[in-house]
Amino acid sequence: MSEHVVIVASDGVADLTPVAKFMAARQLRLKAEADRIKAVKARGQVPEVCGDAIPEAPARGAIRVFQPMSLFPDGKDDWVASPSGYRGRSAMQRADVFDVMAAKAASNGKPAPFTREQVASGRYYRDLVERHACAGVRCSSVEAIRSGGGGGSGSFIDAVLRDREEIERIQRRIGTGTAMAVRKIRPSKRGSRVNITDRRLIDMVCLEDKPISAVLRAHGWITSGHYTKTLCSALKDVLSRM
């Protein structure tokens, strides 16, 4: 049994306008929800070249597809690099901010904004900080123990201390100042009196996985192409120092 509400006008004729408006609004809401679900599923879609064994996961975020390569014997004394993916398939890896910025530059027909050495420095710093941050979790100490010892408490503490010293060494190279190109931009033009220090720039990009535009917005700066280019240049210099 269902109930229907019909609005009757003063002349006794049923007024269907409110009902039609309600149904139209309902259809719009249903369509908007269907579009939202479709967009969420699209973000978790797995490329066909990677096979169907990988589950769809919208929360995975941006990914990059690559072909694993390994060295195989070629004759008696030679080796050759060949694809080594499972059943010949490509592999997936979660894309970090450096991958995203490189992909965006490639889509605009431009070269990658950072060299391989600069990207490696940023990722090394990120991995080092993350490993040291989880050093209190005993089961995560396997990666931190890089000495030839037996994995006792002494070698674990030594590895943690070495990571701490390495982080401090890198942070000294980063410094606490602000790049000259960034300082030259007047607050009246950039829209904020807050400076973007080299250390904060590195931490937001490498540790927090934020693009340059997010760094500008977080400091109240205008997100223009000129300021993005200036901050990208400052980031290159710091990564090279690291």
Side-chain angles (χ1 to χ4, degrees):
M1 180 179 179
S2 60
E3 297 181 356
H4 300 276
V5 178
V6 179
I7 300 176
V8 180
S10 58
D11 56 359
V13 179
D15 185 7
L16 299 179
T17 303
V19 178
K21 289 182 178 179
F22 170 79
M23 294 301 295
R26 181 173 180 271
Q27 290 297 327
L28 289 176
R29 288 197 300 270
L30 291 176
K31 184 179 184 305
E33 180 65 9
D35 292 341
R36 186 188 69 83
I37 294 175
K38 183 178 179 180
V40 170
K41 289 184 176 180
R43 288 199 296 267
Q45 187 175 3
V46 179
E48 292 184 4
V49 293
C50 297
D52 56 358
I54 303 175
E56 293 186 357
R60 184 185 289 122
I63 61 170
R64 71 180 185 91
V65 178
F66 66 98
Q67 179 61 255
M69 302 292 289
S70 298
L71 290 175
F72 296 94
D74 184 23
K76 184 178 180 180
D77 300 321
D78 202 2
W79 297 81
V80 61
S82 300
S84 59
Y86 175 68
R87 293 183 177 178
R89 297 169 180 168
S90 297
M92 290 169 46
Q93 185 179 49
R94 185 180 179 276
D96 59 14
V97 66
F98 294 107
D99 292 321
V100 173
M101 288 191 288
K104 186 176 180 180
S107 65
N108 294 328
K110 299 179 180 179
F114 306 102
T115 65
R116 291 186 178 183
E117 292 78 8
Q118 291 168 346
V119 173
S121 296
R123 288 172 174 167
Y124 175 71
Y125 176 60
R126 175 198 63 198
D127 296 343
L128 195 64
V129 172
E130 289 179 353
R131 184 172 63 219
H132 185 268
C134 66
V137 182
R138 192 65 180 89
C139 63
S140 68
S141 64
V142 177
E143 293 184 29
I145 298 176
R146 299 189 298 275
S147 64
S153 60
S155 59
F156 168 72
I157 295 300
D158 291 341
V160 174
L161 293 176
R162 283 198 302 271
D163 284 349
R164 179 67 260 176
E165 292 174 355
E166 180 71 359
I167 293 172
E168 291 176 349
R169 182 186 66 82
I170 295 175
Q171 290 177 347
R172 285 194 299 269
R173 290 187 174 183
I174 296 172
T176 57
T178 304
M180 179 64 70
V182 177
R183 294 201 308 268
K184 285 182 177 180
I185 303 176
R186 297 180 180 179
S188 58
K189 291 185 177 181
R190 67 196 188 197
S192 173
R193 298 184 64 85
V194 181
N195 270 331
I196 303 177
T197 64
D198 293 345
R199 172 70 183 280
R200 186 56 186 150
L201 175 60
I202 284 291
D203 285 351
M204 288 193 69
V205 173
C206 298
L207 305 185
E208 301 176 23
D209 214 37
K210 301 291 185 183
I212 299 295
S213 57
V215 178
L216 291 171
R217 287 193 296 269
H219 291 79
W221 284 44
I222 298 172
T223 54
S224 70
H226 174 67
Y227 299 153
T228 300
K229 186 177 180 180
T230 301
L231 212 58
C232 185
S233 177
L235 181 60
K236 291 179 182 179
D237 293 339
V238 182
L239 289 173
S240 296
R241 291 205 305 271
M242 293 165 58

